[in-house]
Amino acid sequence: MKETSPTEPEAPAATATGLHPTATGVHAEATGLHADRVSRRADGRLILDGVTFAPEPGSTVGLLGPNGSGKSTLLRLLAGLLAPSTGVVTLDGTALPALPRREVARRLAVVEQQADTQTELTVLDVLRLGRVPHRRAWTPASAHDERAVRAALERAGLTDRADQPWHTLSGGERQRVQIARALAQEPRELLLDEPTNHLDIHHQLDLLALVTALPVTTVVALHDLNLAAMYCDQVLVLHAGRVVAAGAPGDVLTERLIAEVYGVRAAVTREGPEERPHVRFLGTLA
C-alpha cells in the first residue's frame, strides 16, 4: 500500500500510562521495547494515532480493542515489520531502523494469527527455523542451537511430536508449535497477534497458560476480554487507533469503558482469589 504524508497537525500523543515508569517518553537509557508517539497512515487513512507504549520488562500485556482499532498495526510496528509515519520504536533506547535486522530478530519473536506452508516440514524443522537469526549464512546448527530447540520442544509439551509432519497438526497444535519456534529463538520480547483465534476453549486456556509462564516480555493482541483479565498483568485498550485506557485489568475493564469502546452493555464482577474482573455481556447498546 502506498502511504501519504499527514495533511493535518499531529494529534497529542495518547499515552499508555501505568505500564512502565517511562511510559510518557522514551529515553536513551531506557531498556526494553518502547513506542514513542507512533502513528501510522496508509492510503490516506490514519490507522494508529500518537501511541506511546512501554511494557514492563517480564510482564504480559494484552492489547484490546474492536476490529480496526489498530492492535495488529501496533504489533507490526513494535516488531519492525512496519515503519511508523511519525514517532519511533526503540529497543534498549536505540531506534529499530538503526539496528541490524538480525539483531532485532534475535531479541524479538513474532507469532502471527495463522501460519501455513506448502513445504514438507516436521515440527522439529519448524522449531529449527527459530535459530536462523543466531547463525551466519550456510553455517550448520551448533550444539547450543540444538539445545535451544529441544528445550523449546519440552517447554511447549511437544517432545513426542518432534517428527510429526506440520500439515497433520490441528490448529491448536500449530499455534503451540509456532510459540515453540519463537521460544527456540530465545527472545526477550514476544509479540503475538490474536493467537487464540479459531481455537477451542481448552486450547485457548492451554496456550495462554504457556505464554504467560514464559520469562519474557509478552505483548498479545486479544479479542476475549475475560481471557485478558485472567492471564494479563496489564492491558492496553485501543479505539480508532488511539489509547483510551491502560493499566491492570481490574482497573481498566469497567462497564463504562466496555460500553464506550465496544458499544455493548456488560456486567463486570470480581472472580477468584485474585478478584480478577469477569465480564458478562448483556446486549448491544440501542
Side-chain angles (χ1 to χ4, degrees):
M1 280 189 253
K2 183 178 179 181
E3 296 196 39
T4 59
S5 300
T7 57
E8 68 267 17
E10 183 179 350
T15 301
T17 57
L19 294 181
H20 192 275
T22 60
T24 55
V26 177
H27 306 290
E29 69 273 14
T31 59
L33 186 63
H34 290 210
D36 187 22
R37 293 169 290 184
V38 294
S39 298
R40 172 76 180 181
R41 286 181 171 274
D43 290 342
R45 185 168 65 92
L46 189 61
I47 301 172
L48 209 63
D49 186 8
V51 172
T52 293
F53 175 50
E56 186 74 27
S59 67
T60 298
V61 180
L63 295 185
L64 306 179
N67 288 338
S69 59
K71 300 187 299 295
S72 294
T73 298
L74 178 56
L75 280 177
R76 292 178 71 80
L77 290 178
L78 292 172
L81 301 176
L82 290 176
S85 300
T86 59
V88 63
V89 176
T90 63
L91 193 58
D92 291 344
T94 302
L96 284 187
L99 295 169
R101 279 306 305 173
R102 182 177 292 271
E103 181 177 338
V104 174
R106 289 171 180 166
R107 277 285 305 272
L108 297 175
V110 181
V111 178
E112 301 280 4
Q113 288 188 33
Q114 288 208 349
D116 203 359
T117 179
Q118 300 302 315
T119 306
E120 290 292 330
L121 297 174
T122 65
V123 169
L124 193 58
D125 292 332
V126 173
L127 265 66
R128 283 173 174 154
L129 294 175
R131 299 304 303 169
V132 171
H134 296 274
R135 302 203 310 266
R136 293 182 178 179
W138 312 114
T139 302
S142 67
H144 178 77
D145 290 329
E146 287 302 307
R147 284 196 298 270
V149 167
R150 295 293 175 178
L153 271 174
E154 183 175 354
R155 181 181 283 272
L158 293 167
T159 303
D160 61 339
R161 301 294 184 91
D163 298 319
Q164 184 169 341
W166 165 265
H167 69 270
T168 66
L169 300 174
S170 69
E173 290 167 339
R174 290 188 182 191
Q175 285 293 73
R176 183 176 284 273
V177 171
Q178 288 303 308
I179 290 173
R181 185 267 308 159
L183 294 183
Q185 199 170 323
E186 297 183 307
R188 282 171 51 184
E189 286 85 13
L190 177 61
L191 310 177
L192 303 103
D193 192 3
E194 299 180 10
T196 59
N197 271 9
H198 312 301
L199 301 185
D200 60 36
I201 295 172
H202 175 87
H203 284 104
Q204 289 179 19
L205 299 177
D206 199 32
L207 185 145
L208 287 174
L210 167 64
V211 167
T212 55
L214 300 175
V216 299
T217 303
T218 302
V219 183
V220 51
L222 292 168
H223 272 304
D224 192 310
L225 302 186
N226 286 313
L227 288 179
M230 287 175 61
Y231 289 102
C232 295
D233 302 309
Q234 305 282 317
V235 294
L236 179 140
V237 183
L238 291 168
H239 186 48
R242 295 182 62 84
V243 176
V244 295
D251 297 329
V252 171
L253 297 178
T254 65
E255 294 168 3
R256 178 177 178 179
L257 177 130
I258 294 168
E260 291 177 350
V261 172
Y262 292 92
V264 299
R265 293 183 297 112
V268 180
T269 56
R270 303 287 176 165
E271 304 284 344
E274 296 182 8
E275 294 192 341
R276 295 251 177 173
H278 175 78
V279 180
R280 182 165 60 91
F281 297 105
L282 303 176
T284 59
L285 295 175

